[in-house]
Amino acid sequence: MTLLGCDWRGRAVVLTPIRSIHAALARGGTECDGWWRTSLIGDAAVVHVPQGTAAKDIVFALPQPTRITFVGLAGGLRNQPIGTIVDPESAFIAEPPAGKPSQSSFPARLPFHARSHPTKSPLLGGVAATVGCLADSTLLHHLLASTADCVDMESAHLFSAATLAGHQLRCLLVISDHNRDGDVFTSTPERIAAAIDDLRQSIQEDLNGGQ
């Protein structure tokens, strides 16, 4: 009730910190008056969540097992073309090491959190590294590139939360930049507009079709 503004108990929810994605998916829905902008489309909810760790709060607030789709942006670590859509199979939380980084990769004991959504995706899979802020994604680029395929700010937190709360969750990430030399700060919406529109249409079909 607090986050969404309604006593929602549907079967599917879409989360995104991207305002344009939320606006497109929520078009024609019934808007609720909660902390986070939420629209109901049939018995599905489309929620504009904060960036980063706070996005997982709704995962713990949902009252029953739910299929969750998160739609976000990521920096590519494998020279993927801008606009590539990635559906990572797992993710880990990456934090800057104390002092000057000296290792060529993250330690083997690093915990990985897995995708739990049952839908078989035709999209690229792989591993996502989850950082606390955009600046860390660039600063840690060489360490991240040795272990992950892309870097974002939410996936590992959401995968972990979904496992603990008993939900099924996937993260669909649009590659917006190559995560080098601060190019995340020069990425433009126009470069990924077509990919986001394709993703929006696919998700809208899932919601309308009851998947």
Side-chain angles (χ1 to χ4, degrees):
M1 287 289 292
T2 300
L3 296 179
L4 304 186
C6 60
D7 186 19
W8 180 79
R9 295 177 181 273
R11 56 180 169 66
V13 61
V14 179
L15 311 177
T16 181
I18 306 170
R19 184 173 58 181
S20 60
I21 286 279
H22 178 268
L25 288 172
R27 193 175 300 127
T30 302
E31 188 163 327
C32 303
D33 188 21
W35 283 4
W36 296 349
R37 180 166 292 178
T38 301
S39 291
L40 304 183
I41 309 291
D43 62 354
V46 181
V47 187
H48 188 197
V49 298
Q51 282 184 292
T53 311
K56 71 180 181 181
D57 285 343
I58 186 59
V59 177
F60 290 111
L62 294 172
Q64 62 188 35
T66 306
R67 289 193 178 190
I68 303 169
T69 298
F70 174 81
V71 184
L73 301 180
L77 298 172
R78 298 284 183 260
N79 291 318
Q80 302 98 328
I82 302 301
T84 299
I85 302 172
V86 181
D87 183 0
E89 297 158 0
S90 63
F92 64 93
I93 296 172
E95 298 179 346
K100 186 176 181 180
S102 58
Q103 295 177 310
S104 60
S105 64
F106 283 97
R109 66 179 180 276
L110 201 64
F112 284 75
H113 307 283
R115 176 191 197 272
S116 54
H117 198 288
T119 299
K120 292 185 178 180
S121 175
L123 303 171
L124 292 175
V127 176
T130 296
V131 296
C133 64
L134 295 175
D136 281 350
S137 72
T138 296
L139 292 172
L140 296 174
H141 174 83
H142 294 294
L143 290 177
L144 297 175
S146 68
T147 309
D149 300 284
C150 62
V151 53
D152 78 337
M153 293 171 56
E154 294 88 12
S155 291
H157 300 300
L158 291 168
F159 283 158
S160 174
T163 298
L164 291 172
H167 301 300
Q168 298 174 334
L169 187 141
R170 62 177 175 174
C171 293
L172 304 182
L173 308 176
V174 179
I175 300 298
S176 61
D177 60 90
H178 291 122
N179 191 50
R180 290 192 293 269
D181 303 320
D183 63 354
V184 62
F185 297 111
T186 61
S187 177
T188 61
E190 293 76 16
R191 300 178 70 191
I192 56 174
I196 287 181
D197 190 57
D198 288 344
L199 196 51
R200 176 193 62 79
Q201 291 184 40
S202 174
I203 292 171
Q204 194 71 64
E205 289 172 3
D206 282 349
L207 295 181
N208 292 337
Q211 299 302 316

